[in-house]
Amino acid sequence: MGFEEFLGNQRIVSALRGMLRRDRVPSALLFTGPRGVGKFTLARMFAEAANCERLKDDFCGECAACEKIGRLANPVSLVERGLAERGESADAAAVERMPLIIETHPDVWLLIPDPVRLHTPVARPMIRVGQLRAVQRAAYFRPQGRRRVFILDGADTMRWTDADVFLKILEEPPECATLILLAPAPDSLLQTIRSRCLQFHFAPVPSGEIESFLESRTDLKPAEGKLAAQLSSGSPGVALSLDLKESARLRTSVLRLIEQSVSGEKYGDIFAATAQLAKQEKESFENVLGLFYSLLTDLLEVSESPKASLPRNPDLRREIESVGKKINWQWLLRATEGLDRLDSRLRRNIGRQLGLDAYVSSLSVR
Ligand SMILES: [Zn+2]
């Protein structure tokens, strides 16, 4: 147990341990990097180390504090319980009055974008002002252990208009508390917030390291571990949670859709396929677009060099090569530009399927 279990980004681990060792911990840290790269895991480990009863710049994983904080490692059921306690009929006011706070040790709070869970469709999950106000009050309490740690996962979902609550905390930094903000990229947060945090950017973990990690932690066969590591784009968390069969199915159906449109198949058939994709529930639509990008990139690579390694879709080489024969460079350029436009339209909430239909029909080579 301890920081040695953390995979990748060792420079950040050493910096955090150095702060703990010297008792010089800033009141706000910002961890940025792709989903699954380890931001939350390292934040939780830091909270354990900051309160471990035996160690100062590491954590034993066994003392009472470590045991309690360590439960945050699997937050799904804790979040479910928190939502159940608040009740399914939570309305907007209740959501602010009873902020969703995950707490397994009195000094360590985890805040996630509140999914609200009303019976009717609601806005996207976000960090609510009620959650921020609760942090604002609690940040100045004396810790029972050594340090209060507030982990704000999805800090980028905070409304910009609520950011002043947060800024107030940072303007009068609490002595024994640290806020750790997690976000995909620095520019997803207001400059005023960003500039008050000590920033750490998490780089993708090399695929070979993820592969050996999977070998030691899971019962995946070596070839499956290698594929999962390659598909994870450097995120151990993604590699761990990847459903290889589902991933292959989804990527194959996106490639099939590209192929159908290239060969100018009937729109009726194509639209039936886009309808299937647009209502994917397991995958966010953003991920589906990511699959289009990854397949287009591999098509580009294979058209430039037949020996390209296709790191994004190594298992679909034969299928990609076959589509690659039917297209040229201009088509790829047009397809990529179209995808960029679709991506930005969807960000403005234009209907998924309409956008996808228009995009796919523009890909025909005829
Ligand atoms: Zn401990």
Side-chain angles (χ1 to χ4, degrees):
M1 261 298 173
F3 281 117
E4 65 168 28
E5 302 227 330
F6 187 74
L7 187 65
N9 290 291
Q10 291 303 308
R11 195 182 49 85
I12 303 177
V13 175
S14 322
L16 296 178
R17 295 188 63 180
M19 291 171 194
L20 289 166
R21 202 157 47 234
R22 289 188 293 272
D23 270 328
R24 293 184 69 96
V25 180
S27 45
L29 302 171
L30 169 60
F31 291 178
T32 57
R35 181 174 70 93
V37 76
K39 304 184 297 293
F40 172 68
T41 300
L42 194 57
R44 190 259 305 158
M45 287 179 164
F46 175 85
E48 272 185 68
N51 288 292
C52 178
E53 289 159 16
R54 296 178 192 161
L55 303 169
K56 187 170 162 104
D57 67 343
D58 207 340
F59 59 100
C60 70
E62 288 163 358
C63 69
C66 279
E67 193 274 317
K68 283 185 186 149
I69 301 166
R71 280 185 230 155
L72 287 179
N74 298 304
V76 179
S77 58
L78 298 169
V79 171
E80 288 297 325
R81 200 190 314 155
L83 289 170
E85 276 166 15
R86 189 167 64 192
E88 275 287 328
S89 63
D91 56 25
V95 166
E96 302 300 7
R97 210 169 49 239
M98 293 186 278
L100 183 65
I101 290 161
I102 315 296
E103 180 192 332
T104 54
H105 178 285
D107 289 335
V108 181
W109 283 11
L110 165 63
L111 293 102
I112 61 156
D114 191 330
V116 184
R117 200 69 62 79
L118 287 172
H119 291 298
T120 48
V122 282
R124 68 188 169 91
M126 60 168 83
I127 296 272
R128 300 261 157 187
V129 70
Q131 290 171 299
L132 293 174
R133 292 215 175 97
V135 171
Q136 187 184 23
R137 284 191 298 273
Y140 302 94
F141 296 167
R142 285 204 71 76
Q144 293 185 12
R146 297 204 304 277
R147 176 164 290 274
R148 309 213 75 192
V149 179
F150 301 89
I151 303 171
L152 281 83
D153 199 357
D156 52 305
T157 65
M158 185 191 308
R159 275 201 204 92
W160 288 17
T161 44
D162 296 337
D164 55 336
V165 179
F166 189 78
L167 285 170
K168 283 212 185 79
I169 312 175
L170 299 186
E171 273 158 18
E172 290 173 56
E175 219 176 289
C176 299
T178 296
L179 279 61
I180 308 180
L181 281 69
L182 316 182
D187 61 8
S188 53
L189 291 169
L190 283 179
Q191 160 67 15
T192 42
I193 291 184
R194 208 159 69 218
S195 63
R196 285 175 169 84
C197 301
L198 188 60
Q199 295 183 37
F200 292 103
H201 187 71
F202 287 57
V205 181
S207 164
E209 281 181 42
I210 299 185
E211 205 181 316
S212 3
F213 171 80
L214 291 175
E215 206 168 289
S216 65
R217 296 289 181 86
T218 67
D219 46 16
L220 285 178
K221 297 195 190 84
E224 294 170 334
K226 188 173 174 139
L227 180 60
Q230 281 178 315
L231 295 177
S232 71
S233 316
S235 286
V238 171
L240 272 175
S241 61
L242 197 65
D243 178 341
L244 283 174
K245 271 205 191 116
E246 172 67 10
S247 151
R249 193 191 62 74
L250 203 54
R251 284 177 298 122
T252 309
S253 58
V254 172
L255 186 63
R256 171 83 188 109
L257 187 56
I258 294 177
E259 191 178 13
Q260 280 176 307
S261 57
V262 167
S263 12
E265 279 187 27
K266 277 190 294 220
Y267 283 150
D269 296 346
I270 293 179
F271 291 166
T274 55
Q276 276 296 323
L277 270 182
K279 65 173 190 221
Q280 284 296 332
E281 287 197 358
K282 266 178 115 178
E283 291 286 329
S284 76
F285 200 64
E286 221 165 80
N287 289 353
V288 173
L289 288 189
L291 298 182
F292 269 99
Y293 275 114
S294 97
L295 287 160
L296 289 180
T297 311
D298 279 359
L299 279 168
L300 180 68
E301 288 200 358
V302 93
S303 72
E304 281 182 343
S305 151
K307 288 205 186 99
S309 63
L310 309 189
R312 294 157 207 87
N313 300 282
D315 49 337
L316 299 183
R317 165 175 284 278
R318 210 160 34 89
E319 294 86 340
I320 290 174
E321 280 172 349
S322 137
V323 179
K325 291 199 183 91
K326 299 179 187 162
I327 55 164
N328 57 25
W329 198 77
Q330 264 123 0
W331 179 90
L332 273 168
L333 195 65
R334 195 153 54 87
T336 315
E337 284 171 358
L339 195 55
D340 289 341
R341 272 196 304 276
L342 175 60
D343 194 11
S344 73
R345 287 181 63 185
L346 292 173
R347 279 176 206 284
R348 300 197 308 266
N349 279 328
I350 289 167
R352 287 171 168 190
Q353 194 185 344
L354 276 181
L356 197 54
D357 285 348
Y359 172 59
V360 173
S361 8
S362 75
L363 294 181
S364 165
V365 288
R366 289 198 309 203

